[in-house]
Amino acid sequence: MKHNSIIIKIDNLEQYKIGNHLKESLKDVLWRIQSNSYDELIAEVFNDIVIAIGMSWNNPNHPFAKYIYIAGTVSNELMNELLILQPPYDRIIFSCWENEQEKIQLIQQFQFQLFRKTFMENYTINDLLQKINEKDEPLLLVSLEQILKEPTLEEDLFKLLKYSYEHTHLHNPAKEVAWQSWKNSLLNEAPDLQLSFTVIENKRVTAYIFLHPINNEHYEIGWVGQQGNTDLLVILKEQLKRLREKGIKTVEFEVDTTDYNAWQFAEILDLNKKLSWNSYILR
């Protein structure tokens, strides 16, 4: 800790002077501060100026984890305050870009362990189709719109979604909810009902890829899941072709190293050459 600096919990950051370097660091979480979407806001103050910030919040979908964020030249004293655990939390999650070496070195001093890398990238549809042009395995593709009209298949799909999500988030378990809640979560994200596809084999849902429109030329590839040996690239290829026919130019992916389903896309997305968003855990 700097000589004469103090560690305090604050309610309103606007009451304090903030160094320009710190303002830049806080830009990604400014919305959280302005909307009071946090549990703790801890500041280190030196000569009446905030020189470092620690923040924590919760995620209702992952009820056992305390999420933290740090900005500025964070001292061990501020970190010790931020790392205090209260029930129901039994773990702390911290994330940053892989090139933020100062943050990584700091949290590793406190025994945080890397458990996931996430890649968030945009691609042109034409480029992707050139890479998966050989994928022509015949599959029975059924739209989400059709699935929602078939109660048995609908239940089958969202039970698979629930299973896939839970088993790709074992380090930070999801809240236990019924499959109907997963259905509601998906529909609240406004997927494209016609181009979100499932695969049906022997009257069972064996795979799915959901698509979400962002604007007239851009889509997001959403939740991905499977059971069995379905080649997800075959589904993706057909979706990309349909998107191109609609005039969509680009798509974005968010792929985690812990997601063995979406990781099927890693090679065509050249993820080994991309910058990762790294997540660390302290138990």
Side-chain angles (χ1 to χ4, degrees):
M1 184 187 295
K2 292 182 180 296
H3 182 62
N4 292 331
S5 69
I6 58 173
I7 307 295
I8 56 174
K9 290 188 176 182
I10 59 180
D11 295 322
N12 186 356
L13 192 59
E14 294 180 355
Q15 295 176 350
Y16 297 84
K17 296 178 181 178
I18 302 175
N20 289 331
H21 72 288
L22 189 56
K23 289 181 181 178
E24 179 67 19
S25 299
L26 288 172
K27 65 181 182 180
D28 291 336
V29 293
L30 192 58
W31 69 270
R32 189 177 288 281
I33 295 173
Q34 293 173 338
S35 62
N36 293 319
S37 299
Y38 58 85
D39 291 335
E40 301 169 295
L41 191 58
I42 305 171
E44 183 164 354
V45 181
F46 178 69
N47 288 341
D48 296 323
I49 298 176
V50 176
I51 59 173
I53 286 288
M55 183 190 311
S56 73
W57 64 90
N58 69 85
N59 181 338
N61 293 323
H62 297 272
F64 305 113
K66 176 181 180 179
Y67 293 79
I68 67 168
Y69 180 89
I70 55 177
T73 305
V74 178
S75 66
N76 287 354
E77 288 80 5
L78 193 157
M79 283 294 294
N80 284 327
E81 185 73 21
L82 190 61
L83 298 184
I84 295 173
L85 278 175
Q86 301 286 350
Y89 305 136
D90 63 7
R91 68 202 68 200
I92 299 175
I93 305 292
F94 172 82
S95 299
C96 67
W97 291 106
E98 68 172 320
N99 58 1
E100 295 186 87
Q101 290 302 315
E102 288 187 9
K103 290 184 178 181
I104 292 172
Q105 290 171 6
L106 175 64
I107 58 124
Q108 286 178 336
Q109 291 177 23
F110 288 85
Q111 307 305 311
F112 277 80
Q113 300 295 319
L114 175 68
F115 74 95
R116 181 179 66 217
K117 292 187 174 186
T118 301
F119 298 87
M120 296 168 279
E121 299 287 341
N122 292 344
Y123 300 84
T124 63
I125 289 177
N126 284 335
D127 288 346
L128 291 178
L129 282 173
Q130 288 180 3
K131 293 183 177 183
I132 56 177
N133 194 44
E134 74 281 2
K135 297 290 183 179
D136 287 314
E137 177 186 345
L139 293 174
L140 178 56
L141 299 179
V142 180
S143 72
L144 178 57
E145 184 176 51
Q146 292 172 275
I147 292 291
L148 295 174
K149 297 175 182 177
E150 299 287 343
T152 300
L153 290 177
E154 176 186 83
E155 180 176 351
D156 205 35
L157 169 62
F158 290 106
K159 283 185 174 179
L160 177 57
L161 190 157
K162 168 181 162 68
Y163 176 88
S164 296
Y165 188 91
E166 290 174 347
H167 283 76
T168 55
H169 290 78
L170 295 177
H171 288 88
N172 188 16
K175 181 180 180 180
E176 178 60 40
V177 295
W179 66 266
Q180 293 90 341
S181 294
W182 289 98
K183 171 187 171 182
N184 293 335
S185 294
L186 172 68
L187 296 182
N188 286 340
E189 294 177 358
D192 185 316
L193 298 180
Q194 287 76 42
L195 296 184
S196 294
F197 286 157
T198 64
V199 175
I200 308 297
E201 296 179 8
N202 299 319
K203 299 181 180 180
R204 296 292 306 275
V205 175
T206 60
Y208 58 85
I209 301 178
F210 300 131
L211 303 185
H212 302 266
I214 304 301
N215 58 48
N216 291 335
E217 295 188 341
H218 183 67
Y219 262 61
E220 177 185 359
I221 309 298
W223 280 335
V224 173
Q226 69 170 142
Q227 55 184 338
N229 299 311
T230 302
D231 188 343
L232 294 172
L233 284 171
V234 178
I235 311 171
L236 180 64
K237 176 184 176 182
E238 184 60 30
Q239 290 175 314
L240 293 175
K241 287 166 60 179
R242 303 278 186 98
L243 288 173
R244 184 169 63 179
E245 291 169 2
K246 283 187 63 167
I248 305 302
K249 308 294 187 194
T250 56
V251 290
E252 64 185 81
F253 290 77
E254 181 175 317
V255 179
D256 297 329
T257 51
T258 56
D259 188 343
Y260 47 83
N261 297 309
W263 199 251
Q264 286 191 33
F265 305 148
E267 184 175 350
I268 68 161
L269 300 180
D270 293 323
L271 294 186
N272 62 326
K273 301 177 181 177
K274 307 298 184 181
L275 188 68
S276 64
W277 176 254
N278 289 0
S279 293
Y280 298 81
I281 190 167
L282 176 67
R283 298 181 186 275

